[in-house]
Every structure is written in C-alpha cells, then in structure tokens.
Amino acid sequence: MAEARRAARAYVKRHCPWAREDDVLLVISELVGNAVRHTEGFWRLSLQARPHALVARVDDHSTRMPAPRVPDVTGTGGYGWHIARSLCGQLTVLPRRDGKTVEARWNRSDAPAVDPIPFEGAVPATNTTRFTHTGGRIAA
C-alpha cells in the first residue's frame, strides 16, 4: 500500500498540482486498504488526469459491495468510507460482472458542472497511470 501512495503522490504532483495531495492520498489509502482487507487476490489502482478532474479507481474481484458502518470509537473501525466521502467530490461504487470498481473523483474549482468524458480512453495513455497488485507486489 505504501508503494501505491508513493506512486499516487508522484502522479498527482506531475499531472494534478491543483489537487489537495493529502486528501487524495488519504482516500487512496482507504480504498486500497479496503480492497486488501475485504477482498481476496487481485486489485488495481488507476489514476487519470482529465482536463477538469482527477479520477482514482480501485478495481477488485469481489462482488461484495462496500457497506458503510457507523464509526465505532472502541477500535473496530467504520471511519474509512465516511472519511473518503468527505475528502473527494464524488465517491461511486460500480458493480461489474467480475467484481467492482470504487471510483473517487476530485474536480478542479474551475471545472464545468459535468465532465462528459468517460473514464476509458478519455486522455492519452501518457496521462494514465495504472498499478496492479499481484502476490504482494505492485507493478507499474
């Protein structure tokens, strides 16, 4: 997970200097942490810089949807989903036949109300960074 944060930090600095880096890294940590903790096997973090937004996606092979919990001060958790929702402009769960994608989006302050560009193929590949988790390692 630390490697995903380091790579995300470098990506945000290079492609989205307008984004609040600490907020982005905390949300990514929560989403990747949930994928590691609550799913088995493969997960992938994808980041994409759009003209007016930053989009982070975490794909995994679990069809179990996230279930926000009431936070518990005795130490059993329940804070992560709520923190992630408060730090990004939009947090969406997209079910897939072979799992799900959790997508976080941060809009630039000068962004139009709607960014009509779909995630896939929205910008040249040089502006998209993907990391794949396999066997305890993250590969670019």
Side-chain angles (χ1 to χ4, degrees):
M1 193 162 34
E3 190 174 343
R5 277 193 304 269
R6 279 191 299 274
R9 174 179 280 122
Y11 185 86
V12 169
K13 283 181 186 282
R14 180 172 181 193
H15 297 287
C16 300
W18 53 266
R20 294 181 58 161
E21 183 181 317
D22 290 340
D23 291 358
V24 172
L25 296 178
L26 183 53
V27 170
I28 286 172
S29 294
E30 288 296 334
L31 299 183
V32 169
N34 284 344
V36 169
R37 193 173 305 110
H38 299 294
T39 68
E40 293 184 16
F42 167 87
W43 59 265
R44 176 179 54 221
L45 167 64
S46 302
L47 301 170
Q48 184 179 55
R50 294 183 177 179
H52 297 287
L54 168 64
V55 178
R57 285 182 152 195
V58 176
D59 302 304
D60 65 53
H61 285 297
S62 172
T63 56
R64 195 171 114 215
M65 296 294 120
R69 299 184 291 152
V70 174
D72 183 352
V73 296
T74 63
T76 61
Y79 291 95
W81 188 259
H82 302 288
I83 290 170
R85 284 193 63 188
S86 71
L87 294 178
C88 63
Q90 184 177 354
L91 189 60
T92 308
V93 180
L94 308 162
R96 298 187 331 267
R97 185 182 45 175
D98 63 340
K100 68 182 166 301
T101 299
V102 180
E103 181 180 286
R105 178 187 176 109
W106 295 264
N107 292 323
R108 287 178 58 148
S109 59
D110 61 348
V114 176
D115 181 1
I117 302 172
F119 185 84
E120 294 300 325
V123 295
T126 56
N127 282 353
T128 301
T129 302
R130 294 187 185 271
F131 309 94
T132 303
H133 177 270
T134 52
R137 293 183 20 207
I138 298 173

